[in-house]
Amino acid sequence: MKAVRYFGLKDVRVVNDLEKPVPSGDEVLIKVGGAGVCHSDLHIIDEGTVPGAQFTLGHENAGWVEEVGTSVKGYKMGDAVLVYGPWGCGHCKPCQQSSENYCDHQSEQAYGGGLGLNGGMADYMLVPSSRLLVPIFDLDPVIAAPLTDAALTPYAAIKRSLEKLMPDEYVVVIGIGGLGHVAIQILNEMTGSAIIACDITPERLAFAKELGASHTVNSKDADAADQIRRITGIKKAKVVLDFVGASSTIELGAKTVALDGDLTIVGLGGGRFQYNMMGLPFGVRLTNPYWGSRTELMEVVGLARQKKIHIEIERFKLDQAVEVYDKLRNGQIKGRAVLIP
Ligand code: NAD
Ligand code: ZN
Ligand code: ZN
């Protein structure tokens, strides 16, 4: 079968000679419908955040059950499913509570399919356990694949701050790409707060407005923090969601977050933050959430089935993977690219 393989730093190739896996025990073989192309793949490819290994990329996957191992119950061939991405041990307390993204054993194992183990940029994907599948019913797997990350990650980040996101408050969203464009929609659906969107191109800022941001600020502007503070007034933004995670965006967040607010860094841009007592308002919670839980993914499916969130996707063939990564690197993907076997 065909697959997009990571062979090491800056070395990604499409191969045609992989064996179609056969599931045993609780494993499930998925016929891949779509595999989303996440910016985290670029951190792996360009920075080697998963050193040494060779594996099939793609951690944002959806498709149809092709074959099940002998002990799998409740799934049959043709069922449309999402593949939950952060694979934990399945036994520890966070895993039992469905938060495999915070598995006690994360430091001892690969992060999941496409993140050290074989992922979904292939004709078929072997999933180690049926507990990692979430049914999508009438949703199209091609459109649904990015729900597993581009929607789940901002959803879980926003849920942490829900009690602060009241209608008289402001929320800043930095980076209106794959995750950020869904974050704006989730904020509109689940909170009443006014949304201030930041990106570095006029096109992305116009896109944010279309999706329901009330204000936009170009974070390249030297006075971006002042522009945000002019919008919010003295109270500043109760929540800042940073989907870039560069030093400059973390600094922008620290300058614009309110007293007792949340500064939530989701982006893995390698930024640094130098804490000093006067550099961050009192009471701020600085957090770096990772992905979301299995049950939160079910909630995200609920949002999508009710058409409350829409993922802007661009479709490509598996063979175009290298070209698509270049486009993503150059900021040329609006919303999310999805590879379709
Ligand atoms: P993307 O490439 O689709 O979008 C990034 C957006 O940020 C683009 O619109 C780009 O123009 C914008 N941008 C870049 N520099 C900027 C700046 N200085 N100020 C404002 N905007 C800027 O990326 P994505 O797939 O949405 O991923 C975003 C980040 O989140 C990546 O670092 C990715 O690795 C990370 N991520 C983290 C998690 C997690 O669980 N913590 C999960 C998925 C992705
Ligand atoms: Zn991702
Ligand atoms: Zn665990």
Side-chain angles (χ1 to χ4, degrees), residues 183-197:
I184 292 175
Q185 300 175 61
I186 296 169
L187 285 165
N188 268 327
E189 200 50 53
M190 296 183 54
T191 82
S193 298
I195 302 167
I196 303 170

Side-chain angles (χ1 to χ4, degrees), residues 36-41 59-60 115 148-150 153 179 268 291 336:
V37 184
C38 178
H39 201 110
S40 298
D41 290 346
H59 59 267
E60 234 187 48
L115 299 166
T148 61
D149 184 4
T153 302
L179 273 63
L268 305 173
W291 230 321
R336 202 51 139 191

Side-chain angles (χ1 to χ4, degrees), residues 89-90 92 95 103-104:
C89 72
C92 72
C95 283
C103 171
D104 286 346

Side-chain angles (χ1 to χ4, degrees), residues 81-301:
V81 291
L82 297 180
V83 181
Y84 175 76
W87 298 348
C89 72
H91 304 289
C92 72
K93 186 170 173 185
C95 283
Q96 296 283 10
Q97 290 171 328
S98 106
S99 299
E100 304 205 19
N101 48 326
Y102 299 125
C103 171
D104 286 346
H105 298 275
Q106 195 176 74
S107 62
E108 299 167 350
Q109 61 202 13
Y111 289 99
L115 299 166
L117 301 170
N118 287 334
M121 291 182 179
D123 293 322
Y124 298 94
M125 175 181 185
L126 189 65
V127 179
S129 168
S130 57
R131 79 169 192 281
L132 300 167
L133 303 178
V134 171
I136 54 174
F137 310 98
D138 51 348
L139 291 179
D140 175 356
V142 175
I143 297 168
L147 292 175
T148 61
D149 184 4
L152 174 60
T153 302
Y155 178 80
I158 290 164
K159 243 179 103 173
R160 289 176 158 224
S161 297
L162 267 190
E163 81 283 0
K164 291 187 176 168
L165 291 164
M166 292 298 140
D168 58 334
E169 303 292 356
Y170 292 89
V171 52
V172 171
V173 180
I174 306 173
I176 314 304
L179 273 63
H181 92 284
V182 188
I184 292 175
Q185 300 175 61
I186 296 169
L187 285 165
N188 268 327
E189 200 50 53
M190 296 183 54
T191 82
S193 298
I195 302 167
I196 303 170
C198 299
D199 206 295
I200 50 177
T201 68
E203 295 75 33
R204 289 296 152 83
L205 296 174
F207 184 35
K209 272 266 163 100
E210 278 168 39
L211 294 168
S214 44
H215 304 81
T216 57
V217 170
N218 192 320
S219 38
K220 265 191 181 162
D221 293 349
D223 67 341
D226 289 333
Q227 290 183 44
I228 292 171
R229 287 190 299 242
R230 277 199 292 277
I231 296 165
T232 63
I234 195 164
K235 66 194 297 181
K236 303 200 275 181
K238 205 67 184 174
V239 177
V240 176
L241 299 165
D242 179 354
F243 294 104
V244 180
S247 296
S248 63
T249 58
I250 299 170
E251 189 187 323
L252 180 63
K255 284 182 176 164
T256 55
V257 69
L259 284 155
D260 199 27
D262 290 349
L263 175 51
T264 304
I265 303 166
V266 178
L268 305 173
R272 285 170 179 262
F273 177 70
Q274 176 91 44
Y275 174 77
N276 80 74
M277 194 189 70
M278 301 311 288
L280 203 58
F282 287 116
V284 167
R285 283 196 303 189
L286 178 73
T287 54
N288 58 345
Y290 179 65
W291 230 321
S293 70
R294 281 189 271 113
T295 52
E296 283 169 337
L297 184 54
M298 293 169 180
E299 292 161 14
V300 165
V301 170

